[in-house]
Amino acid sequence: GTKKKTACPGLGLFYTILSAFLFSVASLFLKKIEDVHSVEVSAFRCVFQMAFVLPGLIYYKTGFLGPKGKRIFLFFRGFLGSTAMVLLYYAYQVMPLADATVITFTSPVFTSLLAWIFLKEKYSLWDLLFTLFAITGVILIARPPFLFGSHVTGIEGSYADHLKGTIAAITSTLSAASTFVILRKVGKSVHYFLSIWYYAVIGLIGCVIALFVLNEWRLPHCGRDRVFLILIGLLGLGGQVFLTKALQIEKAGPVSIMKTMDVVFAFILQVLFLNHLPTWWTVGGALCVVASSSGTAIRKWRHSVKKAKQREI
């Protein structure tokens, strides 16, 4: 008989590490850009997303609006997803790279909480413990003066900007968690490309309106910044593609755990290229958040494996 072709062991995890590296380098380039608002960077990212997705929509004949009953969910997926992107880019610009990256890793914890509220999914004492760990990590990174005193070290610029960046990163994380809940609600009834299409189109429209309101639209003066904008778009697409491929050939649990390499890469790039040593508060916060997100991923993974075995029986 013919032998079935086996996948390369660990290929999905390698794709996850590669995705984490590409996203981290894109974040580094964002920090290096001068005099370009985060909303404008997001608009360029949306243009790249549209250019990538459009051929896929035509090839798979999905249409541009999606099923009638799912359009409202797709709209909110696009609105919340693009909002998360803009706020995250703002956080990257005003606070240390590692701090912003660590806060985004609270997303799985908040996803579990929102899924419990809106989808009636199970929420155990372990999930509550992981949520408290994540909140502790964010507090260690934000270091509010009423807990840590008025003299806060290890931040970029003023504490006011650091606080704004922290609030933006947390709001971005909540928006991203909301999009995951919406995608769970929609399920497989909507093609993946259509979901990204809504994300890119609504994001671009929102960014253009915001740029005119803020009067921040301008092309970068430096040729280097223009190259960085293009690289951010390409690296962001590459990171998304490799993460998608990883999830196609590997279980979600190991991928979620391996994705914590984002934090490792953020610390390394911050030290090597931004000459900014993280404080012990940031390291402690990172450990809390990584433990929280990894614990959540492991529990979800074990639960899915248990359900799969029960179906086989």
Side-chain angles (χ1 to χ4, degrees):
T2 57
K3 289 185 178 179
K4 192 175 181 180
K5 187 178 179 181
T6 57
C8 177
L11 184 61
L13 300 182
F14 170 75
Y15 283 154
T16 307
I17 295 174
L18 185 57
S19 168
F21 178 73
L22 294 178
F23 280 134
S24 299
V25 175
S27 305
L28 174 66
F29 288 153
L30 180 63
K31 294 285 290 183
K32 288 288 189 180
I33 288 180
E34 299 174 358
D35 299 326
V36 179
H37 200 279
S38 58
V39 179
E40 186 173 350
V41 179
S42 302
F44 276 97
R45 170 73 185 274
C46 289
V47 170
F48 275 92
Q49 295 273 46
M50 291 174 64
F52 171 76
V53 172
L54 186 59
L57 293 179
I58 296 171
Y59 178 79
Y60 289 107
K61 299 178 182 178
T62 61
F64 296 95
L65 297 177
K68 285 186 177 180
K70 306 294 183 181
R71 289 174 187 173
I72 185 67
F73 294 111
L74 286 169
F75 171 81
F76 280 109
R77 181 269 183 270
F79 175 76
L80 291 169
S82 56
T83 300
M85 174 180 60
V86 173
L87 291 173
L88 180 59
Y89 282 2
Y90 174 77
Y92 280 141
Q93 288 186 331
V94 300
M95 67 188 302
L97 179 63
D99 291 18
T101 302
V102 168
I103 292 175
T104 62
F105 267 80
T106 59
S107 181
V109 180
F110 289 121
T111 301
S112 297
L113 181 60
L114 293 175
W116 171 60
I117 296 171
F118 295 105
L119 302 181
K120 309 302 179 185
E121 292 186 6
K122 187 177 179 182
Y123 191 79
S124 66
L125 287 175
W126 278 107
D127 293 314
L128 177 61
L129 179 63
F130 293 143
T131 302
L132 294 176
F133 257 88
I135 293 172
T136 302
V138 172
I139 291 173
L140 290 176
I141 291 171
R143 279 164 282 162
F146 68 88
L147 289 177
F148 293 84
S150 58
H151 184 65
V152 180
T153 59
I155 63 175
E156 291 180 1
S158 65
Y159 181 77
D161 285 340
H162 183 78
L163 184 60
K164 289 178 185 176
T166 301
I167 294 171
I170 294 171
T171 309
S172 170
T173 301
L174 288 171
S175 298
S178 301
T179 63
F180 290 141
V181 172
I182 291 172
L183 289 173
R184 284 189 193 178
K185 178 71 175 176
V186 172
K188 296 182 180 179
S189 59
V190 175
H191 197 278
Y192 174 75
F193 277 140
L194 194 60
S195 174
I196 301 178
W197 175 255
Y198 267 82
Y199 167 84
V201 171
I202 293 174
L204 180 61
I205 294 171
C207 287
V208 170
I209 294 172
L211 285 169
F212 278 105
V213 171
L214 297 171
N215 195 25
E216 288 285 350
W217 177 264
R218 58 182 178 272
L219 283 174
H221 300 295
C222 176
R224 187 191 69 170
D225 286 349
R226 298 179 187 182
V227 174
F228 282 161
L229 278 174
I230 294 172
L231 289 175
I232 289 170
L234 292 175
L235 291 169
L237 277 175
Q240 197 166 44
V241 167
F242 281 114
L243 183 60
T244 304
K245 288 179 71 67
L247 289 168
Q248 286 175 342
I249 62 177
E250 186 61 77
K251 290 183 174 64
V255 171
S256 299
I257 296 168
M258 191 59 68
K259 203 174 181 307
T260 56
M261 287 298 295
D262 277 26
V263 177
V264 177
F265 287 134
F267 275 95
I268 293 172
L269 294 176
Q270 178 175 299
V271 172
L272 291 180
F273 297 100
L274 300 176
N275 298 318
H276 188 95
L277 289 173
T279 63
W280 286 110
W281 294 116
T282 299
V283 174
L287 291 175
C288 286
V289 171
V290 169
S292 173
S293 60
S294 298
T296 302
I298 291 170
R299 285 201 75 252
K300 296 292 183 185
W301 178 28
R302 289 183 63 185
H303 181 65
S304 63
V305 170
K306 187 177 179 180
K307 285 182 69 175
K309 287 182 178 179
Q310 286 176 349
R311 289 195 194 104
E312 289 177 2
I313 294 172

